[in-house]
Amino acid sequence: MISVNRWRMLRFPVLLAALVLLLAVPHIVPAQSASAANRLAIQGYVIDAELNPETHHIAATAVVTFTAAENSDVVNFGFHPALKLSKITDETGKLLTGDRAADGAIRVTPARPFVKGQPVHWTFVYEGNITGNEDGPEEGLKLAAIQEPISYLLYPARWFPMTGYLTNRFTAQLHIRVPQGFRVVASGSEGSTAVTLTGGKPGDQFNFNWTKPGFPGTVIAGRFAPPVSPGSAANIHVYLTVNHQQSRNDVAETAAKQVDFFTGLFGVPESGRLNVVELPDDTLPAVWAPELVAIMGSRTGDKSGIRLLANTIAHQWWGSEVSPQTLNDAWITNGMSRYGELMYVEDENGKTAMKNAIQDVSAGALAYDTTPLSSAGRLGAFSPQFQSMTLEKGAMVFHMLRWEVGDAKFKKILSGALSEYTDKGIRSTDFAKVAEAQSQQVLTPFFAQWVDGTGAPQFVNKYAVYRLGNNKGFRTIGQVQQDLDLFRMPVELRVDTDGKTEIKRVEVVGSDSQFVIDTFGRPRRISIDPDNWVLKASPDLQVRVAILKGQQLVAQGDLAGALGEFQKALEANSQSSLANYRIGEVLFNQRNYQASANSYRDALRGDGDPRWTEVWSHIQLGKIFDLTGQRDRAVNEYRQAVQTNDNTQGAVNEARLYLQKPYQKPETE
């Protein structure tokens, strides 16, 4: 169990986004070998399931239509460890033999040889209790739970026999029976009927039919308040529980605005319908499926939830409409959903907001940049490495591609890829071909550097300024130097002068690239890539990377390793308020209150970046004084927190709460 304070790190929007999105969307599960994927291809499901939240029980029958290689002696299906098979039969009614493999998969022996390209239909009958506390398919992740008031069966939970997660597209008919008062949300709604459940209790059956090849594998059932729709979009429905229903209208309006933005950017979505539904706080922060986006209830009323919702909605195009052909291609869908989120931030809050967000994304992109994106499928798919690469570096690839080709051509590339590969998997080479065709530019060096290669340039600017005669101004002659011999990309130079600021685009090729800039005013400073269009190494980024790694280690429970990373950040920047704050957080969780207080004071004396470290350092100091029986000193810290007028993540509200009542250590952490 992660303590409240350790989870607090996930609440700050300035937290490097790879950590937040490590659990934000169930993008990928561990990769299967290419040979395994070739042996089995599932085309569709018909699933009948009854959920009993009172007993945490599911009873289900799944008819699976698939093709397999004719020489397959055994077929493997992924399956949730808590579920028990009653029987497996083929289309003739022949009983098949199945057993559990060491990796948890079900190994089934066919009754007769497969015919190449000919679909077969097997029926799986199974049941089990899923509370979410038992071992699941991904260690440490709660992906399914049948419970009150919200039950959820997420696609990566493998609650039905499956293969090729996010690469094997399928159709699905779902018939889900639940007690009266529950509402079921899934892909392809077709209505509900009253039924009698096992044991004679009244219930309802909700029916869904998603007929396009995709990933309609998530089911969420809950006791939701009546849904609401934004005034401008009756096709969007928001389902929240009573505890969070006050946020329904805001969430609905935000979702409508984001759908409009992405429709303008990507084109019309596959479906005009979208259900936004609440998830409990004991699972992933967000998930997606066709026509469905879901986020934690605690994030629905939170500003950081706006970006999380944008990222999840973007997956309706990048993930649902177009999917990776293999896990090595996951950077396309993960990265563009992430970058779509950032483009929405830019549209809402301006270029400065985008520039600031890119700084954090760059840290995630370089945190584990030792494996090319084109080989990411070799990594553990829920690992920080895989998530940082496909989400953050993937987003940076799109950001740099936009800079390389320009906004108009970039939009054509996105719409071209979505149009050509609708309901299909796309490879990195496919996307590169679309990009070249739509932009009419040679982009082989670009993709070779950023998809097939690793590393980022560290720019050094050397120049000399000469006065021109006859009052013609000044000429600056210089070189952009960097350490990647094969690097080739346009880079922007900004020349600040006594008068007008000059902007020049320079093609940087190899380790040394010359430039000449004439200005009327005397140059005072020349900045390389001032708007952060290019992923590049820098001392500031070194600090951000170390802090990111430390935060990820905290999330994994490795506090000693986290402290080591935070110390690296301080070695690079001894005034880093964020590094000192994170050290104080770790020490607080270890109940080393004196050392923790020292670190929070160092955060207050530091560079003040980010700004929220001030208000939260005062609050944390107040907590320490309360825990050590120094109420007067605690009250003084809480008052200083209120005086900052910085309510980031409800800081001022929390400070006022502790002014009224002393902070007490939670009974369980």
Side-chain angles (χ1 to χ4, degrees):
M1 180 72 70
I2 296 179
S3 73
V4 172
N5 285 312
R6 281 172 60 189
W7 272 109
R8 172 164 288 125
M9 58 185 277
L10 297 178
R11 294 171 27 182
F12 295 118
V14 291
L15 169 65
L16 302 181
L19 179 59
V20 174
L21 290 173
L22 169 63
L23 298 181
V25 182
H27 296 283
I28 305 292
V29 297
Q32 292 180 308
S33 68
S35 60
N38 290 335
R39 284 200 299 269
L40 179 64
I42 296 175
Q43 284 81 49
Y45 297 88
V46 178
I47 301 176
D48 290 88
E50 182 173 310
L51 310 183
N52 187 337
E54 185 177 343
T55 60
H56 312 290
H57 188 261
I58 177 175
T61 299
V63 179
V64 185
T65 300
F66 67 95
T67 56
E70 59 268 31
N71 60 349
S72 299
D73 296 326
V74 175
V75 182
N76 292 338
F77 296 88
F79 203 48
H80 195 290
L83 297 175
K84 299 177 181 178
L85 280 165
S86 302
K87 65 178 180 179
I88 309 171
T89 56
D90 64 15
E91 54 263 55
T92 68
K94 179 71 174 180
L95 193 64
L96 304 178
T97 301
D99 55 49
R100 289 274 188 180
D103 61 359
I106 299 173
R107 299 166 54 89
V108 186
T109 303
R112 59 179 185 271
F114 296 108
V115 177
K116 182 178 181 180
Q118 181 175 318
V120 298
H121 312 277
W122 287 1
T123 300
F124 295 75
V125 181
Y126 55 96
E127 56 86 28
N129 294 336
I130 302 181
T131 66
N133 297 321
E134 56 279 307
D135 290 337
E138 293 298 326
E139 183 179 359
L141 295 181
K142 190 174 180 180
L143 303 174
I146 302 171
Q147 60 187 11
E148 291 273 3
I150 302 177
S151 296
Y152 54 92
L153 300 167
L154 306 184
Y155 178 28
R158 306 178 212 172
W159 63 277
F160 52 89
M162 60 172 288
T163 190
Y165 187 80
L166 273 196
T167 58
N168 187 131
R169 302 179 72 95
F170 57 89
T171 63
Q173 292 183 39
L174 305 176
H175 308 285
I176 311 298
R177 295 181 296 280
V178 291
Q180 281 188 342
F182 271 76
R183 175 70 167 85
V184 182
V185 183
S187 305
S189 178
E190 289 192 345
S192 63
T193 56
V195 296
T196 300
L197 303 177
T198 302
K201 292 185 178 180
D204 293 291
Q205 176 172 298
F206 290 82
N207 304 302
F208 306 89
N209 187 18
W210 185 257
T211 60
K212 302 174 183 178
F215 306 101
T218 290
V219 171
I220 302 173
R223 298 188 184 276
F224 301 118
V228 299
S229 298
S232 60
N235 56 324
I236 296 176
H237 304 279
V238 176
Y239 296 89
L240 301 182
T241 59
V242 173
N243 289 340
H244 297 102
Q245 64 177 337
Q246 70 276 7
S247 302
R248 286 182 300 172
N249 291 327
D250 289 342
V251 172
E253 293 298 333
T254 299
K257 186 184 298 185
Q258 291 174 349
V259 168
D260 285 344
F261 174 77
F262 290 133
T263 299
L265 182 62
F266 303 141
V268 177
E270 279 198 287
S271 172
R273 179 167 50 199
L274 184 68
N275 293 320
V276 182
V277 60
E278 176 183 338
L279 282 173
D281 288 352
D282 61 357
T283 184
L284 306 180
V287 299
W288 60 268
E291 299 186 340
L292 183 154
V293 300
I295 65 173
M296 280 184 174
S298 61
R299 305 292 289 274
T300 57
D302 190 297
K303 287 185 178 180
S304 67
I306 295 175
R307 286 182 57 174
L308 182 60
L309 183 62
N311 180 284
T312 314
I313 289 177
H315 275 286
Q316 293 298 306
W317 288 264
W318 301 95
S320 183
E321 184 173 336
V322 169
S323 56
Q325 181 70 27
T326 72
L327 300 189
N328 291 331
D329 311 303
W331 69 269
I332 300 172
T333 51
N334 284 5
M336 192 56 229
S337 293
R338 183 80 169 103
Y339 193 58
E341 166 203 334
L342 299 184
M343 293 184 76
Y344 178 76
V345 169
E346 179 183 33
D347 187 69
E348 283 290 294
N349 303 311
K351 294 186 180 298
T352 299
M354 165 67 94
K355 181 179 176 180
N356 292 336
I358 286 296
Q359 290 179 329
D360 287 345
V361 172
S362 296
L366 293 180
Y368 303 98
D369 190 33
T370 57
T371 301
L373 282 175
S374 56
S375 300
R378 302 173 184 175
L379 302 170
F382 276 100
S383 67
Q385 293 92 329
F386 185 90
Q387 295 294 316
S388 289
M389 288 174 60
T390 61
L391 283 163
E392 312 302 351
K393 189 173 182 181
M396 285 303 301
V397 170
F398 284 103
H399 185 61
M400 292 184 289
L401 180 62
R402 178 185 173 191
W403 161 249
E404 178 104 16
V405 304
D407 281 3
K409 291 181 179 179
F410 180 67
K411 185 176 179 180
K412 288 179 64 177
I413 290 171
L414 300 183
S415 60
L418 289 166
S419 175
E420 187 171 346
Y421 290 92
T422 296
D423 293 333
K424 300 177 184 177
I426 185 171
R427 294 182 181 272
S428 299
T429 52
D430 298 328
F431 185 83
K433 290 178 182 178
V434 171
E436 289 193 327
Q438 295 295 332
S439 67
Q440 294 296 298
Q441 292 180 218
V442 176
L443 296 172
T444 300
F446 176 88
F447 289 106
Q449 168 65 43
W450 299 114
V451 177
D452 298 322
T454 60
Q458 183 164 357
F459 293 121
V460 176
N461 190 13
K462 293 185 177 181
Y463 60 90
V465 178
Y466 303 92
R467 182 187 293 275
L468 300 176
N470 299 322
N471 198 31
K472 292 183 178 180
F474 300 85
R475 172 166 295 170
T476 302
I477 301 176
Q479 286 184 332
V480 176
Q481 298 180 341
Q482 55 84 37
D483 52 348
L484 299 180
D485 182 51
L486 300 181
F487 182 84
R488 178 181 177 181
M489 193 171 177
V491 174
E492 187 176 75
L493 299 182
R494 184 176 67 198
V495 184
D496 296 319
T497 74
D498 293 335
K500 181 182 177 181
T501 297
E502 300 285 346
I503 301 294
K504 184 176 180 64
R505 187 178 174 111
V506 176
E507 189 74 18
V508 175
V509 180
S511 55
D512 296 281
S513 300
Q514 293 187 344
F515 64 85
V516 178
I517 303 175
D518 290 344
T519 58
F520 183 77
R522 176 182 290 276
R524 297 300 184 189
R525 180 185 179 190
I526 298 181
S527 303
I528 301 177
D529 188 37
D531 291 328
N532 293 332
W533 282 107
V534 180
L535 179 61
K536 55 187 179 293
S538 68
D540 175 67
L541 196 60
Q542 181 182 354
V543 174
R544 292 173 178 269
V545 167
I547 292 175
L548 168 62
K549 288 185 174 180
Q551 291 171 171
Q552 291 176 336
L553 289 170
V554 168
Q556 297 170 32
D558 184 0
L559 300 187
L563 284 174
E565 292 295 336
F566 295 146
Q567 289 294 342
K568 290 180 184 178
L570 285 180
E571 290 171 7
N573 177 11
S574 61
Q575 297 300 307
S576 172
S577 290
L578 182 57
N580 280 304
Y581 182 90
R582 294 306 185 198
I583 291 173
E585 227 175 11
V586 172
L587 295 171
F588 184 90
N589 284 325
Q590 293 178 327
R591 303 180 186 179
N592 187 346
Y593 296 131
Q594 181 60 66
S596 177
N598 293 342
S599 292
Y600 286 128
R601 290 193 180 98
D602 287 339
L604 290 170
R605 290 190 290 263
D607 57 15
D609 183 25
R611 180 171 174 262
W612 59 257
T613 53
E614 178 185 5
V615 62
W616 279 103
S617 290
H618 283 303
I619 291 173
Q620 293 300 105
L621 283 168
K623 291 180 179 180
I624 291 172
F625 289 136
D626 269 338
L627 290 171
T628 55
Q630 303 175 68
R631 180 59 179 166
D632 289 344
R633 299 180 73 183
V635 167
N636 180 57
E637 294 295 338
Y638 298 139
R639 284 175 176 166
Q640 290 188 66
V642 172
Q643 289 170 4
T644 66
N645 201 32
D646 181 355
N647 200 33
T648 300
Q649 300 300 318
V652 171
N653 299 337
E654 189 157 334
R656 286 172 175 159
L657 174 66
Y658 295 137
L659 279 172
Q660 302 299 319
K661 183 179 180 181
Y663 171 79
Q664 293 183 340
K665 183 174 60 180
E667 293 182 4
T668 59
E669 294 189 354

